[in-house]
Amino acid sequence: MPNDRIKDAPVTMCRRASPFPPCRPYLLAPLQVDPDRWLESLHGRAFARTVRSDGTVTVDDLRYDVKQELAGQVINLVVHAPDQVFNLFQGATQIKRLPIKGLYGKVVSFEEYVWLIRQEVRSDRHRSPFTSLGLHQASLWA
């Protein structure tokens, strides 16, 4: 009888002592990926921007043409994910709709998705760390 308890003890101890949840065997990568799916999580969100003197606003380092007459004024860009556009508002008035830049617009294979991500990482390495934070060097002569 004592030998039975010793034989069972390690199995019981391993089950209780393991800090890890049971593993799923063989996690498979998807065959296809929608690289623009993240946009759905932003549907309806508004982003306030001040229109520059040239009539543009910037979202994620991409410029969008608004109207030069609105220079210096604050507008809201509201994400409409199903149409992949920004609805631009000044107050309650809709100014225009602009296609969101930088989207892929198609479902791709997993291998192509990995390649696309690697290209983005490479291009981000060359970007100034200050521009990715939204910081820009002010003119020293102003």
Side-chain angles (χ1 to χ4, degrees):
M1 186 148 182
N3 288 342
D4 290 338
R5 284 194 310 192
I6 293 172
K7 188 168 78 173
D8 290 341
V11 173
T12 305
M13 286 175 45
C14 288
R15 285 186 194 150
R16 289 184 187 157
S18 176
F20 303 107
C23 296
R24 291 186 206 158
Y26 306 110
L27 293 176
L28 299 175
L31 297 176
Q32 293 186 323
V33 178
D34 181 358
D36 300 333
R37 184 146 184 209
W38 59 270
L39 190 59
E40 293 174 12
S41 67
L42 297 179
H43 180 69
R45 286 201 45 197
F47 299 91
R49 295 290 187 270
T50 302
V51 180
R52 297 177 178 197
S53 60
D54 63 356
T56 63
V57 293
T58 304
V59 178
D60 197 25
D61 294 334
L62 298 170
R63 285 188 178 217
Y64 292 87
D65 290 320
V66 183
K67 284 184 182 178
Q68 196 158 6
E69 301 86 46
L70 296 175
Q73 297 183 37
V74 176
I75 63 166
N76 288 307
L77 293 88
V78 180
V79 176
H80 190 267
D83 294 337
Q84 298 183 336
V85 297
F86 284 124
N87 291 320
L88 279 61
F89 288 90
Q90 181 183 28
T93 306
Q94 184 171 351
I95 304 166
K96 61 168 41 175
R97 292 170 58 108
L98 294 172
I100 297 175
K101 297 179 180 180
L103 299 177
Y104 294 97
K106 64 178 182 175
V107 174
V108 297
S109 69
F110 182 76
E111 291 80 16
E112 186 177 356
Y113 181 66
V114 170
W115 185 85
L116 290 169
I117 290 174
R118 292 181 72 190
Q119 297 306 310
E120 286 184 25
V121 169
R122 286 184 182 142
S123 67
D124 281 348
R125 279 192 212 144
H126 300 296
R127 181 187 282 178
S128 164
F130 296 112
T131 56
S132 64
L133 293 173
L135 304 174
H136 302 281
Q137 175 66 43
S139 173
L140 298 175
W141 310 109

